[in-house]
Each structure stands twice: as structure tokens, then as C-alpha cells.
Amino acid sequence: MSPRTLYEKIWDRHVISAARLPVPLLYIDRHFIHEATSPQAFAGLKAADRKVRRPDLTFAVMDHSVPTKDRRNAVITGNRAKLFDALDRNCRETGVRLFDMNSKNQGIVHIIGPEMGITQPGQTIVCGDSHTSTHGAMGALAFGIGTSEVETVLATQCLPQYTSKTMLVRIEGKRTRGITAKDLMLAVIEKLGFSGGTGHVIEYGGEAVRALSIEERMTLCSMSIECGARAGMVSPDETTFRYLEGRPFVPRGNDFEAAVKIWRSYASEPGATYDSTIELNAAEVAPKVTWGTNPGMVANINAAVPDPSSYANEEERESVIRALDYMDLNPGTRIVDIPIDRVFIGSCSNGQIEDLRAAAAVLAGKKISKSLKQALVVPASTQTKLQAEAEGLDRIFVEAGFEWRDSGCSMCIAMNEDVLPPGERCASTSNRNFEGRQGKGGRTHLVSPAMAAAAAIAGKFVDVRDMQIAGVV
Amino acid sequence: MKPFSEHAGTVVPLDRIDVDTDQMVPKQFILRGTRDGYGRDLFHDWRYLPNGDPDPDFVFNFPRYKGASILLARSNFGCGSSREHAAWAVRDYGFQVVIAPSYADIFYTNAFNNGVLLVTLPAEQVDELFRRAEKTEGYELSVDLETLSITDNRQLRFPFTIDEYRRNRLLKGLDDIGSMIEHDKEIAAFEGSHAIPAPIVTGPVDMKVSTS
């Protein structure tokens, strides 16, 4: 057999060929659900008198709209309360395991899967959220689905699926000081274009990707959807296995060794071919800041806001003009001259322990600018929060002037109280800078956690590489 | 779902690339746990002024496009968030057909799962439809899923393609679950020999496990 990719191997081992449907039927190993996109699916099941086929393969968590401030005492009312009540009730009625908002294992749905070792190499994983691709960092095929599909998976544990094209994003070279997985991924999106990955599953490979931790690989995979790719994945390796060992859903002892052997068998083989390949040199990547209203509208920190007239394509030019109008930016403005009002550190893309360490390293012993209206740190999971507190990171953030919050999606989607007010500008470690994403009329600039911390100190964007950072050479 | 075979209606042109689902239904409306009633929220932040009145500059509010049931759009339509609310809103607003050069993957599936036909045409043909829709007040198109063609009353005729599975489901008004439940035996057989085990707890976790 010719060498195969991770995607092809997972695909082949999950298609139920006996069903002989016109479209391949893909078996789903793990189904994650949350309060925002599941109630309609459960209601649909109930109306048709159908059952959840495999509650044991389904995991629920409260994340999208949970309060992040003093959660245990928070009063939740209206539609939000109904969403939480519905999830709790639906899980109780169907036997689905639930991590509710006060669980020690609560967190953003795409973080807690890997964190508990529920997500493992070779699995197929779906969730009613476009950032489900995050799980791909473990060597799984994970993609976001709509609520009708959530209902289909609840009822049948399968989805009719078309094969995707494959794309290898090969990142060679070594990153320089201050360059994070976020900068690498924004560089990928810049190169590929905002819709360049549509119809594809991306596999990230190359020397620079091999050198990334699981958390960093999750940053890449999480943002795959930001260039249109439904899934992003990294072939499982020793880093993956070391990460998984000892986690509460991972087999132990001899069973672990046996599992590793199977996980290893999913790895992409040398010589496997992809429908397309793009290459990037990590050594050439600079810190990135988005200036527009999609993640492809991005520039290096030492560059300037582009002139729409530099775009040859008319549709793109008009799109840039609209974006600059929304962002209230003028062509030629240097990125380092853009002042900010708020800072948000968090999200499934950049709210993990390493992200918090990187931001804290920049902030240690410093204060955030007096010009800021708010600076928020929202850990991606409750376990991340506890770990950060054990390391004393919370004190660094609080002493610098940040608010230290409970975990959730928070200001990445602004479905709770954490909303960017109209006209205000936010340096955000999240993954989307769409109009109104963080709040109606709010202006989002996507950056890495270190760059967000640096911007918090300066009150505007600065090159984190120019800063003296404790413990960083 | 209602079967769909053909549709004739007026066209509204939305001349923007990369329209994302956050614009189609902003997050404040997805707290409602229902599938219905999102038509009034469709493109909320573009469609209404801060005081709640319709924004006369947004194309949906031009009197000539009132009652349109075919949405003409640009490339990468429906990108971003997986929220099916976007498809529910398109349907609930009254759109039965969207025509664009390309769509984002998740929205594409969501729309078909709600009986909305997404027609993909080459960019030049979409350009031509934009020209006609903007020039002629009350511009109407007929979309025929049986013959796979789009026509107007001025000799325009564009053929389109769509995969058979989705076409059939629309023509018959079927949903996924209905057709898959019949394959329960094959699914169960697959599960019997599947290499990936169900999750086993080997360490401490703080979760609610129901054994109903």
C-alpha cells in the first residue's frame, strides 16, 4: 500500500462501508456538546421520540456563556439560565456526562478534551463549534458541525461525510525569540488567504511544528477554520504520547504502552502525498497583529495598515475599505501607533497554561497602562486556572492590573457579561476579529499572549522582542 | 422538511465577499434555544440602526428588494462560526435559494440540512446576475432543481451542478437521521469490530454521571 496520511488512515478506519449510502458514513468516536448549540438538537430528538445512541461517547460542558466573575455567586437569568438548565436536564435525562460550570474539569470544550485525555490520536471528533479543529493537535480528525448534525450524531453516532482534500502546511526552520504559535498561524492564514483552506483538512508538519508543545499545536489547529479549513491536525509523536500519559481518561501501565503502539500507527508516513502543500520558514515570521475584520487581514508589528489601492482585486479592495472604516484606521498608520482600550487574554486558541506563562513573563514587575479601561485574563479551563495559581501567575497578573477570572469562552464570543463596548479597541488573543465578534461595534486586533501583555503595558501595540523579559534570553 | 423542486422569486444582491455567520446572526440572538424566529435577526447589525429602525443604506431595506426570496452573494459566503442559526435565519427570512461563487463548508451543510438550496456558479456568471439584479427593479429568477438550471425572462440560462445526495434529499424533503436510522444494523456491526475503545476513567475527574 502506498504511504498514507494521518487523515487517510483515520478516514479509512471510520467509514462504515457496509451501509452503502451514496455518501460515506463516518463513525464518530467522541462527541462534545455545550449549552449554546445543543438544546435544539435534544428537542429534535425528543420530538421524534429518539434516544441518544451512545451517551458514553458524548461529553457535555458549560463554556460559551458562563460568567467568569465570581462564578459561584453569579446570578444568571433569562435565556442564558434556560440554556444551562436545558443542558443539565438533557444530560440527566440521557445519561450524558456533564462538566457543569462549577466542575473542577470545566473549561472551553476544545481544551478539556485533550486536558483530560478524552481526545486521543486516531479518533474522529465532532462538536457544534467551528473551533473543534483544536482537538486535531492530538492527532485526531476533529471538525465543527451544525446543530442538525449534532442531532444526527446524538441519534446515530455517525455523520454522512464527503472526503476532504488534504493540505500539508510545512513549517520548517526555527522560530526566533518572541515568536509564538499564534504568530506562525497568522502567518499561515496571511499566506493562504482567509478562505484558502476551504474544502481541506490541513496537516501541520515540518521541523518547527515538531518542536511545538501540544498546547502550541492546539493554537495552530484551533485557527484552521480561520482560513476555511474544517479540520487541522498534527501527526501524533512522542510529544503527543508524553502529554497524554497520566491523564484521567488515558489507560495506564501496560495498557498505555499498548495504546501508544496503536496511536503511533496513525502517524502520516514519509512519502505520503497531499492535494496541496504550502511552506513557511518559521525563522522569517515576525510578531503579527491583525488590522482588519478577518484573520487574513494581518501585518507584522513593524509594518503599517495597508492602502486599499494596493489591492489589485476589486472585491478585495472594497472589503479592505469597509474593514478600515469599521476599524477606524487610516492606510499607512504604523501598527505601533495604534492605541488600545482593552486587553483580553484567553480563548481556545490562546488561554492555556503556556499562554498565561508567556504573558506573565512579560508582565512580571510591571503595570498595565493607565490608559486601559480593562485587562482580562480568562484561563481556558478550570484546571489551567488552578495550575496558574499554583505557579503564582495570578498574582503577577493582578499586580500588573489585570482581572483574574474563571474559565470560559468569555470575550472571544461575548455571550456572557464580558463584552467589548462599541468603538473600543481590544488587543485580543482570541481567534476571530469579525465585526462585532467581541461586542457590537467593538474593534478586535488578534495577537499572541506575549504581544497582548506587551500592549497592555504600553497602551498600544509594541514589538515584544524589544522588551526586557524576565527569564527570557 | 418540505420537498424542493423549483422556485421563482425576486433577487436581492448582497455585494460583499467573506460574509461571516457572526454577521448573519450576532451572538446576542443565539442565546435563544430555538430553531425558529431568526429571520428578523438576519444581518442584524447591518440591517438596523442603533435605535432599532431599519438602516435605509442596507440593501435588504431598499423598497425594491422587499419580499426577495433569492439571495445573491459573493465568495466564501457563510464563513466562520458553525452556528446553524445563520441557516435558520436565512430560511426564516424567506430565502429559499442562495446563489454565490463559493461557500464556507459548515454553512453549506447547515443550509442544505434546512432545505435551503445553495447554488454555486462561476464568478463571471454571478457578476452577470449582480448586474441584472441591480439594473432591473423586481428582477426575478427561476431555479429548477429537476433540470439544474437558473433562468430569467430575458433569455438568461445558467446550468449548475450539485451532488446527487443533496439534490435527492432536497427533492424528497429528507433529513439525514431519517435515512440513517435504517442503517442501525450496519452501525452496530461496525461498533462491534471498531478499534477505538469507549472512554474509560483511570484518574480523578469531577463530573456528573447519570445512570438513567
Side-chain angles (χ1 to χ4, degrees), chain A residues 178-248:
Chain A
I179 305 305
T180 68
K182 180 61 150 289
D183 303 302
L184 294 180
M185 192 56 204
L186 287 170
V188 169
I189 298 167
E190 183 178 30
K191 181 157 184 164
L192 198 53
F194 175 51
S195 59
T198 305
H200 289 78
V201 164
I202 294 178
E203 181 179 329
Y204 301 92
E207 180 193 1
V209 174
R210 289 284 137 232
L212 296 177
S213 67
I214 290 296
E215 287 85 350
E216 291 172 316
R217 293 176 186 184
M218 286 167 76
T219 303
L220 294 187
C221 291
S222 161
M223 292 186 69
S224 302
I225 186 72
E226 309 312 333
C227 57
R230 223 172 153 186
M233 58 208 312
V234 177
S235 198
D237 60 9
E238 297 309 317
T239 303
T240 321
F241 311 142
R242 266 202 314 278
Y243 174 92
L244 281 167
E245 191 167 14
R247 293 184 184 267

Side-chain angles (χ1 to χ4, degrees), chain A residues 119-130:
Chain A
T119 302
Q120 295 174 5
Q123 293 175 343
T124 49
I125 298 173
V126 296
C127 172
D129 187 283
S130 64

Side-chain angles (χ1 to χ4, degrees), chain A residues 13-16 18-19 21-23 25 27 29-30 39-40 50 53-54 56-57 59 79-80 83 88 92-93 95 97-100 103-105 116 122-123 128-130 144-149 151-152 155-156 158 160 162 194-195 198-199 228 230 247-250 252 266 294 315-316 319 322 413-415 432 434-440, chain B residues 15-18 20-23 27-28 30-35 38 44-46 48-50 74-76 79-85 88 101 103-106 109-110 113-114 127 163 165-166 169 175-181 183-188 190-191 194-212:
Chain A
R13 293 183 204 179
H14 287 83
V15 170
I16 305 178
L21 281 169
V23 176
L25 197 56
Y27 192 75
D29 294 316
R30 302 288 181 266
Q40 299 91 342
R50 288 176 179 140
R53 192 171 199 285
R54 294 294 302 267
D56 58 327
L57 304 184
F59 291 88
N79 283 333
R80 266 170 84 202
L83 289 182
D88 192 79
R92 271 190 285 108
E93 287 175 2
R97 283 175 270 202
L98 169 67
F99 304 98
D100 74 8
S103 160
K104 284 193 179 67
N105 293 104
M116 286 189 274
Q123 293 175 343
D129 187 283
S130 64
I145 57 177
T147 296
S148 294
E149 293 176 296
E151 186 176 332
T152 301
T156 68
C158 294
Y162 298 77
F194 175 51
S195 59
T198 305
R230 223 172 153 186
R247 293 184 184 267
F249 279 89
V250 173
R252 314 230 159 188
Y266 281 96
N294 73 52
E315 286 181 341
E316 250 184 278
S319 170
R322 261 200 314 276
I413 190 167
M415 284 178 72
R432 283 202 176 123
F434 297 161
E435 287 182 28
R437 172 77 181 182
Q438 294 190 287
K440 187 178 176 180
Chain B
D15 195 2
R16 303 181 185 208
I17 58 170
D18 300 327
D20 63 75
T21 55
D22 271 80
Q23 302 323 310
K27 69 208 137 247
Q28 59 269 35
I30 70 177
L31 289 166
R32 290 205 311 267
T34 60
R35 276 183 156 109
Y38 295 95
H44 182 277
D45 292 359
W46 291 346
Y48 302 104
L49 295 166
R74 295 293 189 185
S75 63
N76 197 28
C79 57
S81 162
S82 62
R83 62 189 70 169
E84 194 161 318
H85 309 68
W88 296 330
Y103 304 89
D105 295 337
I106 305 177
T109 302
N110 287 344
N113 280 341
N114 287 281
D127 282 344
D163 74 86
Y165 178 67
R166 289 197 170 100
R169 284 174 57 214
D175 66 12
D176 275 338
I177 304 184
S179 50
M180 285 166 57
I181 290 280
H183 294 277
D184 192 60
K185 224 194 277 171
E186 288 89 348
I187 297 171
F190 178 90
E191 283 174 324
H194 188 36
I196 293 185
I200 304 161
V201 182
T202 60
V205 282
D206 176 15
M207 62 185 175
K208 285 193 183 174
V209 186
S210 170
T211 50
S212 62

Side-chain angles (χ1 to χ4, degrees), chain A residues 326-407:
Chain A
Y326 181 85
M327 295 296 290
D328 192 27
L329 289 171
N330 293 317
T333 299
R334 297 189 313 159
I335 301 292
V336 293
D337 290 336
I338 300 173
I340 55 167
D341 302 296
R342 287 175 204 250
V343 174
F344 170 66
I345 296 177
S347 88
C348 59
S349 292
N350 272 132
Q352 299 214 64
I353 189 70
E354 293 184 355
D355 300 314
L356 304 190
R357 286 178 191 143
V362 174
L363 291 167
K366 301 192 177 77
K367 298 274 182 215
I368 63 171
S369 168
K370 289 197 168 58
S371 64
L372 286 196
K373 297 187 174 77
Q374 185 180 43
L376 276 182
V377 194
V378 183
S381 71
T382 302
Q383 285 297 308
T384 302
K385 182 178 190 236
L386 295 171
Q387 170 73 26
E389 287 171 353
E391 294 179 20
L393 303 183
D394 57 322
R395 287 199 304 280
I396 296 176
F397 282 113
V398 170
E399 280 164 20
F402 271 79
E403 295 173 39
W404 180 249
R405 295 289 189 88
D406 293 322
S407 91

